């Protein structure tokens, strides 16, 4: 069975600090997809990024960047120069296309203090 | 443009009653997803449709749950009979393509309470 581990339950930093959210996964599939989602305090869900297992290029979108490393089975998310609006719960997820469906991590609650 | 529309936004019902949640995806999107979020189980993908056909329903909890997508602009998630453990927020999302290939856009969610 596949598994996603977000070991950091809660992270608190001061605004403008850089912060990295860890995501480690386990799967036997050779083709799979990884995702990050954001859930602000208002409760809505926001889809941030998808990555397939054949694309190990890091991605940058503004202050957000993602580091995918198959060798360590990790897909970490970094926010540069954090802002209060980045405060949210962030979920990492894995989909192998098989019977395990889409597996979510338990989420990391990120608190950005002004 | 309208985003993903879900109705109702809140639903309170009694155990044993049938509950129907509705979702209208973004026009032109051909994939639709139903998610559930609870404190105990976290976030789960219940079912995923592509071109109105269920592709992955491995997350559907049991026979009490059923989902349909009769056309490209409408989907329902039905629970019959409902139980208190079904209380959750149910999110619908849509995207231009298959899971893993395109960005998903979420609706505001339906908060279901089963007494």
């Amino acid at each position: 069975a596949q598994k996603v581990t977000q070991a950091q339950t809660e992270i608190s930093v001061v605004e403008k600090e850089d912060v990295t959210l860890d995501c480690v996964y386990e799967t036997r599939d050779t083709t799979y997809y990884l995702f990050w989602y954001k859930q602000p305090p208002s409760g809505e869900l926001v889809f941030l990024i998808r990555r397939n297992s054949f694309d190990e290029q890091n991605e940058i979108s503004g202050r957000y960047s993602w580091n995918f490393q198959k060798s360590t089975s990790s897909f970490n998310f970094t926010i540069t120069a954090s802002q209060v609006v980045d405060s949210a719960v962030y979920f990492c997820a894995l989909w192998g296309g098989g019977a395990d469906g889409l597996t979510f991590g338990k989420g990391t609650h990120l608190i950005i203090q002004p | 443009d309208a985003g993903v529309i879900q109705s109702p936004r809140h639903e309170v019902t009694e155990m044993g009653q049938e509950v129907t949640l509705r979702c209208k995806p973004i026009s032109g999107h051909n994939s639709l997803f139903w998610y559930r979020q609870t404190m105990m189980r976290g976030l789960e993908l219940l079912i995923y449709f592509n071109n109105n056909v269920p592709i992955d329903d491995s997350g559907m909890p049991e026979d009490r749950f059923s989902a349909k997508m009769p056309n490209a602009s409408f989907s329902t998630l039905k629970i019959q009979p409902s139980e208190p453990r079904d209380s959750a927020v149910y999110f619908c999302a849509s995207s231009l393509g298959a899971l893993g290939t395109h960005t998903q856009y979420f609706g505001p969610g339906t908060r279901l309470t089963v007494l």
Side-chain angles (χ1 to χ4, degrees):
Chain A
Q2 58 192 30
K3 184 178 178 182
V4 175
T5 301
Q6 293 182 257
Q8 304 148 311
T9 305
E10 184 174 289
I11 301 174
S12 181
V13 301
V14 177
E15 198 172 21
K16 298 184 183 176
E17 287 186 14
D18 298 348
V19 57
T20 295
L21 310 183
D22 297 332
C23 174
V24 175
Y25 62 91
E26 296 176 24
T27 180
R28 293 181 180 176
D29 294 309
T30 54
T31 301
Y32 52 89
Y33 298 85
L34 295 160
F35 308 86
W36 276 94
Y37 299 75
K38 174 182 180 180
Q39 188 168 41
S42 53
E44 75 262 30
L45 276 172
V46 179
F47 183 90
L48 294 178
I49 191 172
R50 66 191 182 279
R51 173 68 74 222
N52 73 53
S53 53
F54 297 108
D55 182 1
E56 288 193 70
Q57 282 190 336
N58 291 333
E59 178 147 345
I60 299 174
S61 176
R63 296 183 296 106
Y64 295 175
S65 62
W66 289 269
N67 184 357
F68 175 32
Q69 292 196 333
K70 287 179 77 171
S71 60
T72 55
S73 297
S74 65
F75 187 41
N76 296 337
F77 172 34
T78 297
I79 302 174
T80 302
S82 60
Q83 299 177 3
V84 172
V85 293
D86 297 325
S87 296
V89 180
Y90 291 86
F91 296 95
C92 180
L94 164 70
W95 186 63
D100 289 324
L102 180 64
T103 300
F104 282 90
K106 299 214 178 287
T108 296
H109 184 197
L110 177 63
I111 301 167
I112 310 296
Q113 298 179 9
Chain B
D1 287 340
V4 175
I5 298 172
Q6 291 186 247
S7 64
R9 294 291 309 276
H10 301 272
E11 176 82 25
V12 180
T13 190
E14 291 190 349
M15 183 174 64
Q17 296 297 305
E18 177 180 296
V19 175
T20 299
L21 310 182
R22 297 173 175 80
C23 176
K24 177 178 171 55
I26 293 172
S27 178
H29 284 190
N30 61 11
S31 286
L32 184 139
F33 311 85
W34 283 102
Y35 294 83
R36 177 174 70 174
Q37 186 174 31
T38 62
M39 290 295 292
M40 290 294 293
R41 299 180 63 89
L43 263 174
E44 303 169 277
L45 176 65
L46 300 179
I47 188 167
Y48 147 44
F49 292 90
N50 185 251
N51 292 321
N52 311 337
V53 175
I55 301 300
D56 185 344
D57 64 356
S58 58
M60 292 289 270
E62 50 200 273
D63 291 346
R64 297 184 299 106
F65 284 69
S66 62
K68 294 183 179 179
M69 192 162 186
N71 57 62
S73 59
F74 184 64
S75 177
T76 59
L77 178 67
K78 186 176 293 187
I79 309 171
Q80 167 62 18
S82 58
E83 297 182 2
R85 60 191 169 121
D86 302 329
S87 298
V89 179
Y90 292 81
F91 292 99
C92 177
S94 71
S95 72
L96 278 171
L99 181 63
T101 63
H102 290 79
T103 298
Q104 295 176 36
Y105 298 85
F106 284 85
T110 294
R111 181 173 295 277
L112 172 66
T113 302
V114 182
L115 303 173

